[in-house]
Amino acid sequence: MSKLHIKKGDIVYVNTGEDKGKTGRVLKVLVEKQRAIVEGINMVTKHTKPNAKNPQGGREKQEASIHISNLNPLDPKSGKPTRIGRKLVVDKKKGDRLVRYAKKSGEELK
């Protein structure tokens, strides 16, 4: 399986679906399913039984996963959605490393 263009902590833009045009931070990446959970995106209502945390029970809003093909990372410079590339950075002190960069600005993504 190839590497994914999205990591936990990235700020992403939603390309399609109910939340099209919104941005949010990636909370979790489900690698096997190629899906991600994004803060405030794809909210669903989950019915819960009474428990120690919620003695009343009831309905809770929570984020559902969204397919990563519907997400684009934001360019650190312009704040607009961009595609991702990978390049090898040669560093004598730290050693060679593969970094993700924004295709629009060439800026490295952390």
Side-chain angles (χ1 to χ4, degrees):
M1 187 180 270
S2 63
K3 286 194 172 188
L4 303 178
H5 63 284
I6 282 170
K7 279 185 176 178
K8 179 181 173 180
D10 283 355
I11 306 288
V12 294
Y13 173 88
V14 182
N15 291 324
T16 58
E18 198 176 299
D19 295 315
K20 180 178 179 175
K22 291 184 183 176
T23 59
R25 183 176 301 276
V26 176
L27 301 174
K28 190 175 184 181
V29 177
L30 309 167
V31 180
E32 312 80 43
K33 294 182 179 178
Q34 295 219 336
R35 296 177 81 82
I37 295 173
V38 184
E39 198 172 30
I41 303 295
N42 200 17
M43 298 298 283
V44 294
T45 306
K46 187 168 169 36
H47 294 72
T48 57
K49 285 186 172 181
N51 56 29
K53 186 182 166 194
N54 188 359
Q56 189 68 44
R59 295 163 34 162
E60 288 181 354
K61 286 266 192 188
Q62 68 180 44
E63 292 96 352
S65 65
I66 184 170
H67 199 271
I68 59 157
S69 66
N70 298 328
L71 302 173
N72 265 22
L74 291 182
D75 193 321
K77 242 183 193 170
S78 67
K80 292 183 179 172
T82 181
R83 289 169 296 134
I84 290 296
R86 286 188 177 79
K87 62 183 172 187
L88 192 65
V89 175
V90 180
D91 193 353
K92 286 192 165 86
K93 289 181 181 175
K94 293 181 183 175
D96 301 349
R97 57 196 173 98
L98 197 63
V99 295
R100 298 181 310 148
Y101 70 96
K103 292 253 182 146
K104 274 192 178 172
S105 66
E107 196 86 1
E108 191 176 309
L109 284 145
K110 299 291 179 256

